Each structure stands twice: as structure tokens, then as C-alpha cells.
Amino acid sequence: MLRSFCLTSSLTALIVALLFSACQRNGSGKQEGTTDSLASANEDTLNAISEPLVTDIYTADPSAHVFEDKIYIYPSHDVESGIPQDDLGSHFDMKDYHVFSMDSIPGEVTDHGVALDVKDVPWASRQMWAPDAAFKNDTYYLYFPAKDQEDIFRIGVATSNSPTGPFEAEEQPIEGSYSIDPTVFEDTDGTFYMYFGGIWGGQLQRWSTGTYNPNDEYPEDDQPALSPKVARMRSDMLGFDEAVKDVQIVDENGNPLLAGDNDRRFFEAAWMHKYQDTYYFSYSTGDTHYIAYATGDNPYGPFTYRGVVLNPVLGWTNHHSIVEFRGKWYLFYHDSELSGGQTHLRNIKVTELTHKADGTIETIDPYRGQ
Ligand code: FUB
């Protein structure tokens, strides 16, 4: 089914025409472009602000952390497995994770090889989607979503004594976990929280009653949007220390963002960072392709929508992390430059991010001339 792509940023008309107008809805709720056009448009007109960090394999969804005064990146490892597109996103058929490190930004990127393979996760069957990592108790924790034997997304945890792995997975997924895109945030008091969730292919809409319902049920457009989730982590970091809660994202009047507010409502790719005592909850708006952010005064929210961190990138998905390193703030993100725009074959990138004096974040255009 052809579907027009409502790109509201000001990419050049040529890029818009070539890259996006032929977008086809694929089953996962992701959209696929016409590869040939994308490849030639990419070569001729894409004027990206940053280069792919890794060029020999496809990488996406970069979660960056500073451990031992280095940057460590925990991305998805995109592969072409030949699985046709379907409504479940089955073609995002990732099988393992690699960890990368950088001594400086910019700087050389080291690939530390396979850190965890789906075949070594007892409960998981397929689709190793966007991961994250944390460090506590002299242990590194890798958090990752994957489908279980019933094809339900759960969130797993694996441990290592090194930031680069190899990681050993727990026998079972985290109790009470579901959906995708876990991110684990350490507050300044040392408490860790996991944020997670993603709609459409990420299955969050199947959990609105608290238990799994295999039917996709979405709120009406004039009803509050589905909320991302949060839970404080146990001190052993292997499970939740409390019942999972909704993360409320509200507008400037304190009203929840509505399901029909596609430019602003949560879709997937949660991330949390703290800057000058303010909590910044950022996320992808999915089918409108922004990385948006909302701020609050505590880790549970509510968070008030503030604007856009990153405008749409080449490809369908937009997914990021925000990290401070040696006094500067960076946005790690991805696009599909290397594959000429293929939705499921992406490459990670990094650029500097600016917090303005009024507490807002300067919106980043991933391509010059927008
Ligand atoms: O990489 C697979 C999925 O695509 C991620 O989990 C989403 O955030 C989107 O980037």
C-alpha cells in the first residue's frame, strides 16, 4: 500500500521526492523506500552532518554510556536475513549484539565483537531489538528486548564483568517486563530506573489491560495516547523493584498528549538524561519520525512536552541516546545512509547536542540545507 509520508521538516524537495514519496508501508508499521532511488539520491544529494561510525556491519539504536572514561555504544546489529516484511516487523531479524567503544569523540571506533547471541538466551526466539546497558555492583548489565517462544516481546538481562562482554543471559526474561526498547537510567542518588515500550510492532498496545491481549487495540484519536512505562530496578539490577507505572507525557496545559497527536505522542525509543536537576525524557514519535523530548522534576514524571531533539532521518525509524562525555553533550542516533535508505539496514552516528540557557534543547537537523 502506498502511503504519503508527512515529512514536516524542510529536507530539500529533491530528497523528499526521491527518498520518501515512494515509501511503502510494510507490515511492521515501518515503511520501506525504493532502494534504487534512495541509493542514487543518497549519493547525489544527502548532505549529512555526520558520518556512519561503523561501516562494515549495519548498526542501529545506539545506547551510549561512559564507563571507565570511555564511550561504550550498545546498538542493535541490523542484518538482511531475507525475511519478508510483515505487520510484526519480522524483517528486523537481528540475532546478536556487538559492543563498540571510542576513546574520544571524534575518534576511532573499536568493534569488540559479539557480546550476546540469541542462541545463548534460553527464553528468546528471535528479534534482538534495541538494547541498553548499565554498571553497578562491579557488574555490567545488558538489557535487551526479544520475542519469547510465544512470539511475545519481553525484556531480558545479561551480565558481564567487562563493558564489552561477553554477556551471560539470565534463564528468564525480567518478571513483569513486556514490549521493547528498554533504557536504564541511573539517577544522581544511585537509583536505577528502566523505561520501556513501543507501539505497533513493539506490542505495547497489547498490554493496556495489564495482561497480554494478542489483538492490537489502540485508543481513539481524541483519547490519551498509550504511555511508555517505568519501574525502579532492584538493587541486584536483575528485576523490577515495584509495579510498572505509566510515564505521563503532557502538553503545556498539563493535559495528556492524545493518541491522534502523532507529531508529539510517544511511539518507541525511550531515553532519559538529567541536566541541571531537570529530567529529560526523549523518545521517537514513530510514524512522524521525530526524536521529541519532555521534561519533568522527578524520574516518574509527568513530563511536559518541550520540542524536537532530532528531525527525521533517512530511513523510517529514529532512535537515539544522549550522553555527557568530558564536559560536552552528544546525541547518538542512526540513519540508513550506508544502505541507501533501507529501513532495516541502518548505521549509527554521533553529533554534539546543545542545552540552551532556557532549558530547551537545540533541534538538530541531520542533513545540511534543511
Ligand atoms: O531496531 C528495531 C526497532 O526499530 C527498535 O527497537 C526501535 O526503536 C526501532 O529503531
Side-chain angles (χ1 to χ4, degrees), residues 88 123-127 145-155 173 177-180 201-204 206-207 211-214:
L88 307 168
W123 59 268
S125 64
R126 60 184 182 134
Q127 292 178 289
K147 282 186 176 161
D148 68 11
Q149 307 299 330
E150 274 81 52
D151 248 16
I152 300 173
F153 267 118
R154 303 280 181 182
I155 295 168
S177 73
Y178 50 86
S179 195
I180 60 166
Q203 302 182 342
L204 188 62
R206 300 182 179 184
W207 290 92
T211 52
Y212 184 73
N213 163 8

Side-chain angles (χ1 to χ4, degrees), residues 48 50-55 59 109 335-338 347-350:
S50 52
E51 300 295 312
L53 288 174
V54 178
T55 54
T59 53
V109 180
D335 69 10
S336 295
E337 182 175 350
L338 281 180
N347 48 263
I348 58 171
K349 296 185 161 188
V350 63

Side-chain angles (χ1 to χ4, degrees), residues 10 21 28 43 72 82 137 162 222 262 291 302 309 338 351:
S10 54
S21 67
S28 66
E43 282 156 24
Y72 287 91
N137 308 327
S162 161
D222 61 355
N262 298 45
I291 297 297
V309 175
L338 281 180
T351 191

Side-chain angles (χ1 to χ4, degrees), residues 9-10 15 40 70 73 76 105 112 127 137 171 185 208 262 281 306 313 335 368:
S9 76
S10 54
I15 291 179
S40 58
K70 279 189 190 184
I73 312 168
S76 300
I105 304 175
H112 297 276
Q127 292 178 289
N137 308 327
E171 287 288 317
F185 161 73
S208 41
N262 298 45
F281 181 77
R306 301 292 293 275
V313 296
D335 69 10
R368 294 186 187 89

Side-chain angles (χ1 to χ4, degrees), residues 53-54 71 73 100-112:
L53 288 174
V54 178
I71 287 282
I73 312 168
F100 299 86
S101 65
M102 300 175 79
D103 288 334
S104 61
I105 304 175
E108 202 178 308
V109 180
T110 303
D111 180 351
H112 297 276

Side-chain angles (χ1 to χ4, degrees), residues 14-65:
L14 181 60
I15 291 179
V16 171
L18 288 175
L19 301 189
F20 298 115
S21 67
C23 281
Q24 249 182 330
R25 175 150 181 205
N26 72 31
S28 66
K30 321 288 186 193
Q31 294 174 333
E32 197 73 38
T34 306
T35 304
D36 289 345
S37 316
L38 293 169
S40 58
N42 176 36
E43 282 156 24
D44 296 345
T45 60
L46 194 68
N47 199 2
I49 59 167
S50 52
E51 300 295 312
L53 288 174
V54 178
T55 54
D56 57 339
I57 61 173
Y58 291 113
T59 53
D61 311 323
S63 292
H65 290 274

